[in-house]
Amino acid sequence: AINPNSADAFSLRGLIYTRMGEMDFAEDSFKRALVLKPNAAPIQHNYGVFLCQQARLPEAEKMFANALASPGYADRVKTWTTQGLCQRKAGALAEGRTSLLRAYELDPSNPTVGYNLALSMAESGEWTRAQFYLARIHAAGARTSESLWLAARLASRSRLLLLAPSTAFRQ
């Protein structure tokens, strides 16, 4: 009401409506924000998150790409990570891993990125790589119940591989 031309206010309103489950109002708010500030990377990111939650991956990826293409955008790690999680949720596992790797390249100390990258590697059977990413975040002191459970599963998997009889001795 104070400033009806505030794109940031409309974006915030979109987030609030999303949280309240008012998806039509949320989408309208994001669209109005983008009309007012079409190149605002944070708004594009937020709208991308909304679209991902609505299982609209192609539209979400477009918003994330627009945000990432914005010069001077400071939250690239957050957008690459969010895009990767969105892609994985939609079943695009390879694309999700690629996005998470991009986030990791930008901030290898980010525990959220490291954990999700380790999880992605474990899900694809890349046990050694999963252990690498998980060990890095644990060494930095970032431990959660989820990361510890993943570490236990990876350790169990490693022991099973070590105990498996060698194919060279089978006839």
Side-chain angles (χ1 to χ4, degrees):
I2 293 171
N3 184 357
N5 293 319
S6 173
D8 294 332
F10 278 110
S11 182
L12 179 58
R13 189 172 85 166
L15 293 172
I16 293 168
Y17 277 133
T18 301
R19 184 73 179 230
M20 293 171 54
E22 299 284 348
M23 300 311 175
D24 290 339
F25 290 128
E27 183 154 20
D28 179 62
S29 296
F30 288 123
K31 286 181 176 179
R32 289 181 70 183
L34 286 172
V35 165
L36 294 168
K37 254 186 178 174
N39 297 320
I43 296 170
Q44 292 167 334
H45 172 89
N46 289 341
Y47 189 34
V49 171
F50 169 83
L51 293 167
C52 176
Q53 291 170 345
Q54 302 303 302
R56 294 162 55 185
L57 181 61
E59 293 170 88
E61 286 182 320
K62 182 179 178 188
M63 285 294 111
F64 293 139
N66 289 344
L68 291 166
S70 180
Y73 179 49
D75 286 330
R76 292 181 191 289
V77 172
K78 179 173 75 170
T79 300
W80 278 116
T81 303
T82 305
Q83 177 173 292
L85 295 175
C86 181
Q87 290 165 323
R88 291 187 66 239
K89 178 181 170 187
L93 302 180
E95 293 85 351
R97 185 176 318 115
T98 299
S99 294
L100 289 168
L101 282 166
R102 294 292 304 268
Y104 189 83
E105 289 170 6
L106 295 172
D107 186 3
S109 66
N110 185 309
T112 301
V113 175
Y115 169 76
N116 283 292
L117 196 48
L119 183 60
S120 176
M121 296 296 175
E123 289 172 345
S124 66
E126 297 181 58
W127 312 110
T128 304
R129 290 182 75 190
Q131 287 175 319
F132 168 80
Y133 292 112
L134 201 55
R136 289 206 49 174
I137 63 170
H138 284 174
R143 292 179 179 90
T144 65
S145 57
E146 291 89 1
S147 72
L148 292 170
W149 176 241
L150 179 58
R153 291 188 333 218
L154 291 172
S156 175
R157 179 70 182 178
S158 294
R159 276 193 294 281
L160 290 174
L161 291 174
L162 289 173
L163 296 174
S166 172
T167 57
F169 296 107
R170 288 189 210 160
Q171 292 295 333

PDB file of all heavy atoms in Angstrom, residues 116-153:
ATOM      1  N   ASN A 116      24.382 -32.728  -0.376  1.00  0.00           N
ATOM      2  CA  ASN A 116      23.523 -33.122  -1.498  1.00  0.00           C
ATOM      3  C   ASN A 116      24.311 -33.712  -2.648  1.00  0.00           C
ATOM      4  O   ASN A 116      23.832 -34.601  -3.351  1.00  0.00           O
ATOM      5  CB  ASN A 116      22.654 -31.942  -1.938  1.00  0.00           C
ATOM      6  CG  ASN A 116      21.511 -31.739  -0.981  1.00  0.00           C
ATOM      7  OD1 ASN A 116      20.615 -32.557  -0.890  1.00  0.00           O
ATOM      8  ND2 ASN A 116      21.567 -30.652  -0.211  1.00  0.00           N
ATOM      9  N   LEU A 117      25.535 -33.255  -2.827  1.00  0.00           N
ATOM     10  CA  LEU A 117      26.394 -33.839  -3.847  1.00  0.00           C
ATOM     11  C   LEU A 117      26.786 -35.267  -3.437  1.00  0.00           C
ATOM     12  O   LEU A 117      26.743 -36.186  -4.262  1.00  0.00           O
ATOM     13  CB  LEU A 117      27.625 -32.961  -4.047  1.00  0.00           C
ATOM     14  CG  LEU A 117      28.442 -33.172  -5.286  1.00  0.00           C
ATOM     15  CD1 LEU A 117      27.596 -33.222  -6.548  1.00  0.00           C
ATOM     16  CD2 LEU A 117      29.478 -32.054  -5.406  1.00  0.00           C
ATOM     17  N   ALA A 118      27.116 -35.463  -2.161  1.00  0.00           N
ATOM     18  CA  ALA A 118      27.442 -36.808  -1.670  1.00  0.00           C
ATOM     19  C   ALA A 118      26.240 -37.739  -1.824  1.00  0.00           C
ATOM     20  O   ALA A 118      26.384 -38.884  -2.275  1.00  0.00           O
ATOM     21  CB  ALA A 118      27.871 -36.734  -0.204  1.00  0.00           C
ATOM     22  N   LEU A 119      25.070 -37.248  -1.490  1.00  0.00           N
ATOM     23  CA  LEU A 119      23.856 -38.049  -1.625  1.00  0.00           C
ATOM     24  C   LEU A 119      23.613 -38.430  -3.089  1.00  0.00           C
ATOM     25  O   LEU A 119      23.300 -39.574  -3.401  1.00  0.00           O
ATOM     26  CB  LEU A 119      22.659 -37.277  -1.069  1.00  0.00           C
ATOM     27  CG  LEU A 119      21.319 -37.991  -1.063  1.00  0.00           C
ATOM     28  CD1 LEU A 119      21.377 -39.256  -0.215  1.00  0.00           C
ATOM     29  CD2 LEU A 119      20.241 -37.038  -0.550  1.00  0.00           C
ATOM     30  N   SER A 120      23.813 -37.475  -3.962  1.00  0.00           N
ATOM     31  CA  SER A 120      23.639 -37.722  -5.397  1.00  0.00           C
ATOM     32  C   SER A 120      24.624 -38.778  -5.887  1.00  0.00           C
ATOM     33  O   SER A 120      24.252 -39.677  -6.649  1.00  0.00           O
ATOM     34  CB  SER A 120      23.816 -36.416  -6.174  1.00  0.00           C
ATOM     35  OG  SER A 120      23.748 -36.627  -7.548  1.00  0.00           O
ATOM     36  N   MET A 121      25.867 -38.675  -5.448  1.00  0.00           N
ATOM     37  CA  MET A 121      26.879 -39.650  -5.852  1.00  0.00           C
ATOM     38  C   MET A 121      26.540 -41.035  -5.309  1.00  0.00           C
ATOM     39  O   MET A 121      26.665 -42.044  -6.015  1.00  0.00           O
ATOM     40  CB  MET A 121      28.264 -39.223  -5.353  1.00  0.00           C
ATOM     41  CG  MET A 121      28.769 -37.937  -5.945  1.00  0.00           C
ATOM     42  SD  MET A 121      29.030 -38.064  -7.718  1.00  0.00           S
ATOM     43  CE  MET A 121      29.467 -36.383  -8.104  1.00  0.00           C
ATOM     44  N   ALA A 122      26.089 -41.097  -4.070  1.00  0.00           N
ATOM     45  CA  ALA A 122      25.731 -42.392  -3.474  1.00  0.00           C
ATOM     46  C   ALA A 122      24.564 -43.020  -4.222  1.00  0.00           C
ATOM     47  O   ALA A 122      24.565 -44.228  -4.489  1.00  0.00           O
ATOM     48  CB  ALA A 122      25.380 -42.204  -1.997  1.00  0.00           C
ATOM     49  N   GLU A 123      23.588 -42.225  -4.572  1.00  0.00           N
ATOM     50  CA  GLU A 123      22.424 -42.751  -5.282  1.00  0.00           C
ATOM     51  C   GLU A 123      22.782 -43.306  -6.656  1.00  0.00           C
ATOM     52  O   GLU A 123      22.113 -44.189  -7.164  1.00  0.00           O
ATOM     53  CB  GLU A 123      21.353 -41.662  -5.425  1.00  0.00           C
ATOM     54  CG  GLU A 123      20.675 -41.332  -4.110  1.00  0.00           C
ATOM     55  CD  GLU A 123      19.763 -40.128  -4.183  1.00  0.00           C
ATOM     56  OE1 GLU A 123      19.836 -39.359  -5.162  1.00  0.00           O
ATOM     57  OE2 GLU A 123      18.987 -39.938  -3.241  1.00  0.00           O
ATOM     58  N   SER A 124      23.859 -42.776  -7.232  1.00  0.00           N
ATOM     59  CA  SER A 124      24.264 -43.273  -8.542  1.00  0.00           C
ATOM     60  C   SER A 124      25.353 -44.350  -8.433  1.00  0.00           C
ATOM     61  O   SER A 124      25.914 -44.773  -9.437  1.00  0.00           O
ATOM     62  CB  SER A 124      24.734 -42.122  -9.429  1.00  0.00           C
ATOM     63  OG  SER A 124      25.912 -41.547  -8.912  1.00  0.00           O
ATOM     64  N   GLY A 125      25.650 -44.788  -7.198  1.00  0.00           N
ATOM     65  CA  GLY A 125      26.621 -45.865  -7.002  1.00  0.00           C
ATOM     66  C   GLY A 125      28.071 -45.421  -7.007  1.00  0.00           C
ATOM     67  O   GLY A 125      28.968 -46.253  -7.041  1.00  0.00           O
ATOM     68  N   GLU A 126      28.311 -44.139  -6.956  1.00  0.00           N
ATOM     69  CA  GLU A 126      29.686 -43.624  -6.920  1.00  0.00           C
ATOM     70  C   GLU A 126      30.100 -43.453  -5.461  1.00  0.00           C
ATOM     71  O   GLU A 126      30.192 -42.342  -4.946  1.00  0.00           O
ATOM     72  CB  GLU A 126      29.771 -42.314  -7.697  1.00  0.00           C
ATOM     73  CG  GLU A 126      29.444 -42.478  -9.175  1.00  0.00           C
ATOM     74  CD  GLU A 126      29.553 -41.184  -9.941  1.00  0.00           C
ATOM     75  OE1 GLU A 126      30.646 -40.586  -9.922  1.00  0.00           O
ATOM     76  OE2 GLU A 126      28.548 -40.777 -10.555  1.00  0.00           O
ATOM     77  N   TRP A 127      30.367 -44.588  -4.801  1.00  0.00           N
ATOM     78  CA  TRP A 127      30.580 -44.620  -3.366  1.00  0.00           C
ATOM     79  C   TRP A 127      31.807 -43.835  -2.926  1.00  0.00           C
ATOM     80  O   TRP A 127      31.762 -43.119  -1.923  1.00  0.00           O
ATOM     81  CB  TRP A 127      30.685 -46.073  -2.890  1.00  0.00           C
ATOM     82  CG  TRP A 127      29.588 -46.923  -3.422  1.00  0.00           C
ATOM     83  CD1 TRP A 127      29.694 -47.917  -4.358  1.00  0.00           C
ATOM     84  CD2 TRP A 127      28.194 -46.831  -3.117  1.00  0.00           C
ATOM     85  NE1 TRP A 127      28.459 -48.449  -4.638  1.00  0.00           N
ATOM     86  CE2 TRP A 127      27.518 -47.786  -3.881  1.00  0.00           C
ATOM     87  CE3 TRP A 127      27.446 -46.013  -2.271  1.00  0.00           C
ATOM     88  CZ2 TRP A 127      26.153 -47.984  -3.816  1.00  0.00           C
ATOM     89  CZ3 TRP A 127      26.080 -46.202  -2.204  1.00  0.00           C
ATOM     90  CH2 TRP A 127      25.452 -47.160  -2.962  1.00  0.00           C
ATOM     91  N   THR A 128      32.907 -43.968  -3.641  1.00  0.00           N
ATOM     92  CA  THR A 128      34.145 -43.285  -3.264  1.00  0.00           C
ATOM     93  C   THR A 128      33.987 -41.774  -3.359  1.00  0.00           C
ATOM     94  O   THR A 128      34.413 -41.042  -2.464  1.00  0.00           O
ATOM     95  CB  THR A 128      35.315 -43.769  -4.149  1.00  0.00           C
ATOM     96  OG1 THR A 128      35.404 -45.188  -4.034  1.00  0.00           O
ATOM     97  CG2 THR A 128      36.616 -43.123  -3.731  1.00  0.00           C
ATOM     98  N   ARG A 129      33.373 -41.325  -4.440  1.00  0.00           N
ATOM     99  CA  ARG A 129      33.145 -39.877  -4.590  1.00  0.00           C
ATOM    100  C   ARG A 129      32.188 -39.368  -3.514  1.00  0.00           C
ATOM    101  O   ARG A 129      32.382 -38.281  -2.971  1.00  0.00           O
ATOM    102  CB  ARG A 129      32.608 -39.556  -5.979  1.00  0.00           C
ATOM    103  CG  ARG A 129      33.662 -39.760  -7.069  1.00  0.00           C
ATOM    104  CD  ARG A 129      33.146 -39.404  -8.426  1.00  0.00           C
ATOM    105  NE  ARG A 129      33.077 -37.950  -8.567  1.00  0.00           N
ATOM    106  CZ  ARG A 129      32.483 -37.337  -9.588  1.00  0.00           C
ATOM    107  NH1 ARG A 129      31.908 -38.053 -10.537  1.00  0.00           N
ATOM    108  NH2 ARG A 129      32.466 -36.042  -9.653  1.00  0.00           N
ATOM    109  N   ALA A 130      31.177 -40.142  -3.193  1.00  0.00           N
ATOM    110  CA  ALA A 130      30.235 -39.745  -2.142  1.00  0.00           C
ATOM    111  C   ALA A 130      30.974 -39.598  -0.815  1.00  0.00           C
ATOM    112  O   ALA A 130      30.765 -38.620  -0.083  1.00  0.00           O
ATOM    113  CB  ALA A 130      29.110 -40.764  -2.026  1.00  0.00           C
ATOM    114  N   GLN A 131      31.846 -40.556  -0.512  1.00  0.00           N
ATOM    115  CA  GLN A 131      32.610 -40.488   0.729  1.00  0.00           C
ATOM    116  C   GLN A 131      33.514 -39.258   0.760  1.00  0.00           C
ATOM    117  O   GLN A 131      33.669 -38.625   1.802  1.00  0.00           O
ATOM    118  CB  GLN A 131      33.442 -41.757   0.915  1.00  0.00           C
ATOM    119  CG  GLN A 131      32.596 -42.947   1.293  1.00  0.00           C
ATOM    120  CD  GLN A 131      33.391 -44.235   1.358  1.00  0.00           C
ATOM    121  OE1 GLN A 131      34.245 -44.488   0.513  1.00  0.00           O
ATOM    122  NE2 GLN A 131      33.099 -45.050   2.363  1.00  0.00           N
ATOM    123  N   PHE A 132      34.095 -38.909  -0.381  1.00  0.00           N
ATOM    124  CA  PHE A 132      34.961 -37.732  -0.459  1.00  0.00           C
ATOM    125  C   PHE A 132      34.201 -36.472  -0.052  1.00  0.00           C
ATOM    126  O   PHE A 132      34.655 -35.711   0.803  1.00  0.00           O
ATOM    127  CB  PHE A 132      35.516 -37.580  -1.882  1.00  0.00           C
ATOM    128  CG  PHE A 132      36.182 -36.254  -2.124  1.00  0.00           C
ATOM    129  CD1 PHE A 132      37.475 -36.024  -1.685  1.00  0.00           C
ATOM    130  CD2 PHE A 132      35.504 -35.232  -2.779  1.00  0.00           C
ATOM    131  CE1 PHE A 132      38.090 -34.792  -1.896  1.00  0.00           C
ATOM    132  CE2 PHE A 132      36.111 -34.002  -2.993  1.00  0.00           C
ATOM    133  CZ  PHE A 132      37.402 -33.784  -2.547  1.00  0.00           C
ATOM    134  N   TYR A 133      33.037 -36.238  -0.684  1.00  0.00           N
ATOM    135  CA  TYR A 133      32.282 -35.011  -0.394  1.00  0.00           C
ATOM    136  C   TYR A 133      31.768 -35.002   1.044  1.00  0.00           C
ATOM    137  O   TYR A 133      31.794 -33.971   1.716  1.00  0.00           O
ATOM    138  CB  TYR A 133      31.123 -34.843  -1.382  1.00  0.00           C
ATOM    139  CG  TYR A 133      31.600 -34.567  -2.783  1.00  0.00           C
ATOM    140  CD1 TYR A 133      31.431 -35.500  -3.794  1.00  0.00           C
ATOM    141  CD2 TYR A 133      32.247 -33.375  -3.090  1.00  0.00           C
ATOM    142  CE1 TYR A 133      31.880 -35.250  -5.077  1.00  0.00           C
ATOM    143  CE2 TYR A 133      32.704 -33.117  -4.365  1.00  0.00           C
ATOM    144  CZ  TYR A 133      32.518 -34.056  -5.364  1.00  0.00           C
ATOM    145  OH  TYR A 133      32.976 -33.805  -6.626  1.00  0.00           O
ATOM    146  N   LEU A 134      31.340 -36.143   1.524  1.00  0.00           N
ATOM    147  CA  LEU A 134      30.836 -36.231   2.885  1.00  0.00           C
ATOM    148  C   LEU A 134      31.960 -36.028   3.898  1.00  0.00           C
ATOM    149  O   LEU A 134      31.781 -35.322   4.901  1.00  0.00           O
ATOM    150  CB  LEU A 134      30.162 -37.591   3.093  1.00  0.00           C
ATOM    151  CG  LEU A 134      29.177 -37.690   4.240  1.00  0.00           C
ATOM    152  CD1 LEU A 134      28.084 -36.630   4.137  1.00  0.00           C
ATOM    153  CD2 LEU A 134      28.556 -39.062   4.269  1.00  0.00           C
ATOM    154  N   ALA A 135      33.114 -36.607   3.651  1.00  0.00           N
ATOM    155  CA  ALA A 135      34.255 -36.447   4.557  1.00  0.00           C
ATOM    156  C   ALA A 135      34.679 -34.981   4.659  1.00  0.00           C
ATOM    157  O   ALA A 135      35.041 -34.516   5.747  1.00  0.00           O
ATOM    158  CB  ALA A 135      35.424 -37.305   4.088  1.00  0.00           C
ATOM    159  N   ARG A 136      34.596 -34.264   3.559  1.00  0.00           N
ATOM    160  CA  ARG A 136      34.976 -32.842   3.583  1.00  0.00           C
ATOM    161  C   ARG A 136      34.071 -32.026   4.485  1.00  0.00           C
ATOM    162  O   ARG A 136      34.546 -31.186   5.252  1.00  0.00           O
ATOM    163  CB  ARG A 136      34.965 -32.255   2.176  1.00  0.00           C
ATOM    164  CG  ARG A 136      36.119 -32.793   1.355  1.00  0.00           C
ATOM    165  CD  ARG A 136      36.549 -31.902   0.284  1.00  0.00           C
ATOM    166  NE  ARG A 136      36.760 -30.536   0.752  1.00  0.00           N
ATOM    167  CZ  ARG A 136      37.260 -29.582   0.000  1.00  0.00           C
ATOM    168  NH1 ARG A 136      37.606 -29.837  -1.213  1.00  0.00           N
ATOM    169  NH2 ARG A 136      37.413 -28.367   0.457  1.00  0.00           N
ATOM    170  N   ILE A 137      32.756 -32.264   4.396  1.00  0.00           N
ATOM    171  CA  ILE A 137      31.870 -31.461   5.253  1.00  0.00           C
ATOM    172  C   ILE A 137      31.974 -31.907   6.713  1.00  0.00           C
ATOM    173  O   ILE A 137      31.888 -31.079   7.614  1.00  0.00           O
ATOM    174  CB  ILE A 137      30.406 -31.451   4.760  1.00  0.00           C
ATOM    175  CG1 ILE A 137      29.781 -32.827   4.782  1.00  0.00           C
ATOM    176  CG2 ILE A 137      30.297 -30.824   3.396  1.00  0.00           C
ATOM    177  CD1 ILE A 137      28.288 -32.822   4.535  1.00  0.00           C
ATOM    178  N   HIS A 138      32.202 -33.198   6.949  1.00  0.00           N
ATOM    179  CA  HIS A 138      32.366 -33.663   8.331  1.00  0.00           C
ATOM    180  C   HIS A 138      33.662 -33.136   8.930  1.00  0.00           C
ATOM    181  O   HIS A 138      33.688 -32.782  10.107  1.00  0.00           O
ATOM    182  CB  HIS A 138      32.305 -35.183   8.404  1.00  0.00           C
ATOM    183  CG  HIS A 138      30.915 -35.709   8.279  1.00  0.00           C
ATOM    184  ND1 HIS A 138      30.643 -37.054   8.196  1.00  0.00           N
ATOM    185  CD2 HIS A 138      29.704 -35.095   8.204  1.00  0.00           C
ATOM    186  CE1 HIS A 138      29.341 -37.238   8.094  1.00  0.00           C
ATOM    187  NE2 HIS A 138      28.755 -36.059   8.089  1.00  0.00           N
ATOM    188  N   ALA A 139      34.719 -33.070   8.141  1.00  0.00           N
ATOM    189  CA  ALA A 139      35.995 -32.541   8.626  1.00  0.00           C
ATOM    190  C   ALA A 139      35.873 -31.075   9.023  1.00  0.00           C
ATOM    191  O   ALA A 139      36.575 -30.603   9.922  1.00  0.00           O
ATOM    192  CB  ALA A 139      37.082 -32.706   7.562  1.00  0.00           C
ATOM    193  N   ALA A 140      34.967 -30.373   8.371  1.00  0.00           N
ATOM    194  CA  ALA A 140      34.741 -28.960   8.686  1.00  0.00           C
ATOM    195  C   ALA A 140      33.806 -28.788   9.885  1.00  0.00           C
ATOM    196  O   ALA A 140      33.498 -27.663  10.280  1.00  0.00           O
ATOM    197  CB  ALA A 140      34.166 -28.235   7.475  1.00  0.00           C
ATOM    198  N   GLY A 141      33.337 -29.912  10.442  1.00  0.00           N
ATOM    199  CA  GLY A 141      32.478 -29.844  11.621  1.00  0.00           C
ATOM    200  C   GLY A 141      30.996 -29.741  11.316  1.00  0.00           C
ATOM    201  O   GLY A 141      30.193 -29.559  12.223  1.00  0.00           O
ATOM    202  N   ALA A 142      30.628 -29.856  10.061  1.00  0.00           N
ATOM    203  CA  ALA A 142      29.216 -29.771   9.681  1.00  0.00           C
ATOM    204  C   ALA A 142      28.632 -31.175   9.642  1.00  0.00           C
ATOM    205  O   ALA A 142      28.740 -31.877   8.644  1.00  0.00           O
ATOM    206  CB  ALA A 142      29.077 -29.080   8.329  1.00  0.00           C
ATOM    207  N   ARG A 143      28.044 -31.563  10.759  1.00  0.00           N
ATOM    208  CA  ARG A 143      27.431 -32.895  10.851  1.00  0.00           C
ATOM    209  C   ARG A 143      25.957 -32.747  11.184  1.00  0.00           C
ATOM    210  O   ARG A 143      25.594 -31.970  12.049  1.00  0.00           O
ATOM    211  CB  ARG A 143      28.114 -33.718  11.936  1.00  0.00           C
ATOM    212  CG  ARG A 143      29.532 -34.085  11.607  1.00  0.00           C
ATOM    213  CD  ARG A 143      30.149 -34.890  12.761  1.00  0.00           C
ATOM    214  NE  ARG A 143      31.503 -35.278  12.451  1.00  0.00           N
ATOM    215  CZ  ARG A 143      32.577 -34.553  12.742  1.00  0.00           C
ATOM    216  NH1 ARG A 143      32.442 -33.395  13.341  1.00  0.00           N
ATOM    217  NH2 ARG A 143      33.776 -34.981  12.419  1.00  0.00           N
ATOM    218  N   THR A 144      25.152 -33.496  10.480  1.00  0.00           N
ATOM    219  CA  THR A 144      23.716 -33.544  10.769  1.00  0.00           C
ATOM    220  C   THR A 144      23.327 -35.010  10.890  1.00  0.00           C
ATOM    221  O   THR A 144      24.100 -35.901  10.518  1.00  0.00           O
ATOM    222  CB  THR A 144      22.884 -32.904   9.637  1.00  0.00           C
ATOM    223  OG1 THR A 144      23.043 -33.693   8.444  1.00  0.00           O
ATOM    224  CG2 THR A 144      23.308 -31.461   9.377  1.00  0.00           C
ATOM    225  N   SER A 145      22.140 -35.259  11.382  1.00  0.00           N
ATOM    226  CA  SER A 145      21.698 -36.648  11.475  1.00  0.00           C
ATOM    227  C   SER A 145      21.652 -37.285  10.084  1.00  0.00           C
ATOM    228  O   SER A 145      22.013 -38.454   9.920  1.00  0.00           O
ATOM    229  CB  SER A 145      20.341 -36.739  12.165  1.00  0.00           C
ATOM    230  OG  SER A 145      19.371 -35.965  11.489  1.00  0.00           O
ATOM    231  N   GLU A 146      21.251 -36.504   9.069  1.00  0.00           N
ATOM    232  CA  GLU A 146      21.191 -37.030   7.707  1.00  0.00           C
ATOM    233  C   GLU A 146      22.584 -37.365   7.173  1.00  0.00           C
ATOM    234  O   GLU A 146      22.782 -38.406   6.549  1.00  0.00           O
ATOM    235  CB  GLU A 146      20.512 -36.033   6.762  1.00  0.00           C
ATOM    236  CG  GLU A 146      19.035 -35.847   7.021  1.00  0.00           C
ATOM    237  CD  GLU A 146      18.760 -34.748   8.047  1.00  0.00           C
ATOM    238  OE1 GLU A 146      19.720 -34.107   8.553  1.00  0.00           O
ATOM    239  OE2 GLU A 146      17.584 -34.552   8.372  1.00  0.00           O
ATOM    240  N   SER A 147      23.546 -36.474   7.435  1.00  0.00           N
ATOM    241  CA  SER A 147      24.894 -36.732   6.913  1.00  0.00           C
ATOM    242  C   SER A 147      25.548 -37.902   7.640  1.00  0.00           C
ATOM    243  O   SER A 147      26.275 -38.688   7.032  1.00  0.00           O
ATOM    244  CB  SER A 147      25.759 -35.475   6.986  1.00  0.00           C
ATOM    245  OG  SER A 147      26.116 -35.166   8.318  1.00  0.00           O
ATOM    246  N   LEU A 148      25.283 -38.027   8.933  1.00  0.00           N
ATOM    247  CA  LEU A 148      25.837 -39.163   9.670  1.00  0.00           C
ATOM    248  C   LEU A 148      25.205 -40.477   9.217  1.00  0.00           C
ATOM    249  O   LEU A 148      25.886 -41.499   9.117  1.00  0.00           O
ATOM    250  CB  LEU A 148      25.649 -38.956  11.175  1.00  0.00           C
ATOM    251  CG  LEU A 148      26.473 -37.807  11.775  1.00  0.00           C
ATOM    252  CD1 LEU A 148      26.044 -37.536  13.206  1.00  0.00           C
ATOM    253  CD2 LEU A 148      27.963 -38.102  11.698  1.00  0.00           C
ATOM    254  N   TRP A 149      23.913 -40.468   8.925  1.00  0.00           N
ATOM    255  CA  TRP A 149      23.241 -41.671   8.422  1.00  0.00           C
ATOM    256  C   TRP A 149      23.816 -42.043   7.058  1.00  0.00           C
ATOM    257  O   TRP A 149      24.068 -43.219   6.781  1.00  0.00           O
ATOM    258  CB  TRP A 149      21.739 -41.442   8.363  1.00  0.00           C
ATOM    259  CG  TRP A 149      20.979 -42.587   7.765  1.00  0.00           C
ATOM    260  CD1 TRP A 149      20.210 -42.563   6.645  1.00  0.00           C
ATOM    261  CD2 TRP A 149      20.919 -43.931   8.240  1.00  0.00           C
ATOM    262  NE1 TRP A 149      19.675 -43.799   6.387  1.00  0.00           N
ATOM    263  CE2 TRP A 149      20.099 -44.678   7.359  1.00  0.00           C
ATOM    264  CE3 TRP A 149      21.494 -44.590   9.325  1.00  0.00           C
ATOM    265  CZ2 TRP A 149      19.832 -46.027   7.529  1.00  0.00           C
ATOM    266  CZ3 TRP A 149      21.226 -45.942   9.493  1.00  0.00           C
ATOM    267  CH2 TRP A 149      20.404 -46.648   8.601  1.00  0.00           C
ATOM    268  N   LEU A 150      24.046 -41.052   6.206  1.00  0.00           N
ATOM    269  CA  LEU A 150      24.643 -41.331   4.904  1.00  0.00           C
ATOM    270  C   LEU A 150      26.053 -41.897   5.082  1.00  0.00           C
ATOM    271  O   LEU A 150      26.431 -42.858   4.401  1.00  0.00           O
ATOM    272  CB  LEU A 150      24.669 -40.083   4.027  1.00  0.00           C
ATOM    273  CG  LEU A 150      25.287 -40.239   2.640  1.00  0.00           C
ATOM    274  CD1 LEU A 150      24.573 -41.322   1.828  1.00  0.00           C
ATOM    275  CD2 LEU A 150      25.252 -38.902   1.894  1.00  0.00           C
ATOM    276  N   ALA A 151      26.818 -41.349   6.017  1.00  0.00           N
ATOM    277  CA  ALA A 151      28.169 -41.857   6.278  1.00  0.00           C
ATOM    278  C   ALA A 151      28.120 -43.307   6.733  1.00  0.00           C
ATOM    279  O   ALA A 151      28.941 -44.128   6.300  1.00  0.00           O
ATOM    280  CB  ALA A 151      28.862 -40.991   7.332  1.00  0.00           C
ATOM    281  N   ALA A 152      27.167 -43.642   7.580  1.00  0.00           N
ATOM    282  CA  ALA A 152      27.029 -45.030   8.038  1.00  0.00           C
ATOM    283  C   ALA A 152      26.678 -45.953   6.884  1.00  0.00           C
ATOM    284  O   ALA A 152      27.232 -47.057   6.764  1.00  0.00           O
ATOM    285  CB  ALA A 152      25.960 -45.115   9.132  1.00  0.00           C
ATOM    286  N   ARG A 153      25.784 -45.524   6.020  1.00  0.00           N
ATOM    287  CA  ARG A 153      25.417 -46.346   4.857  1.00  0.00           C
ATOM    288  C   ARG A 153      26.602 -46.515   3.922  1.00  0.00           C
ATOM    289  O   ARG A 153      26.824 -47.600   3.382  1.00  0.00           O
ATOM    290  CB  ARG A 153      24.234 -45.713   4.110  1.00  0.00           C
ATOM    291  CG  ARG A 153      22.949 -45.786   4.897  1.00  0.00           C
ATOM    292  CD  ARG A 153      21.737 -45.354   4.110  1.00  0.00           C
ATOM    293  NE  ARG A 153      22.027 -44.409   3.066  1.00  0.00           N
ATOM    294  CZ  ARG A 153      21.250 -43.388   2.725  1.00  0.00           C
ATOM    295  NH1 ARG A 153      20.122 -43.174   3.341  1.00  0.00           N
ATOM    296  NH2 ARG A 153      21.589 -42.573   1.750  1.00  0.00           N
TER     297      ARG A 153
END
